[in-house]
Amino acid sequence: MGGARFSRRFAALLAAAALTPAFGSLHASTPWLSKLDPVLQQRISDPRGSSTVIVRFAPDGKSFKASVQTIEDAGATAGRKLAIIEGQVALIRNTDLYKLAASPAVEHIMLDRSVMGANELTGATVGATAARQTFGY
């Protein structure tokens, strides 16, 4: 029982070691790597997991129209279109990011990060705090 567990762990460790140089050399010689933001450049060598990304397409008018097909060809799932930036959200496995980045239709790929509004400074900037104190609210 212990020998089988050791064998599986050793095999997994050996596989991880074998993949690491391949991804390392991949980074050095790929023109598409600059299309990925720094966070995705790190994630591409992580064989586990997936990322929600924003794909910005080339501004030629044709690339954005074919965005869903480009995303699906890379093995990803297309999400919401972001027409104002000629982009689209996609869910993609980290190991498939290179397929999407290698497409000539793709201009840039960035991680879809969470954003939140912050209104702490707005009241002071526009004088709302003074108005509330003077007129009540």
Side-chain angles (χ1 to χ4, degrees), residues 47-136:
R48 305 173 315 259
S50 58
S51 300
T52 302
V53 297
I54 297 174
V55 184
R56 204 172 69 224
F57 290 90
D60 59 10
K62 297 176 185 174
S63 298
F64 183 58
K65 290 178 183 173
S67 62
V68 173
Q69 188 62 47
T70 303
I71 288 169
E72 290 176 351
D73 287 348
T77 303
R80 182 177 174 190
K81 282 196 179 232
L82 306 169
I84 197 164
I85 63 166
E86 292 194 26
Q88 182 145 1
V89 175
L91 177 63
I92 188 167
R93 289 186 306 265
N94 292 336
T95 53
D96 287 341
L97 282 165
Y98 77 94
K99 294 177 187 175
L100 192 55
S103 170
V106 172
E107 187 172 282
H108 190 72
I109 305 171
M110 61 212 94
L111 184 66
D112 188 11
R113 296 170 173 87
S114 297
V115 294
M116 304 182 336
N119 250 354
E120 295 90 29
L121 301 176
T122 305
T125 303
V126 299
T129 305
R132 275 195 305 273
Q133 291 171 348
T134 304
F135 302 112

Side-chain angles (χ1 to χ4, degrees), residues 5-31:
R5 182 181 292 164
F6 174 77
S7 295
R8 281 191 299 244
R9 286 185 181 173
F10 182 72
L13 182 61
L14 188 60
L19 286 175
T20 303
F23 283 115
S25 63
L26 187 68
H27 282 71
S29 63
T30 51

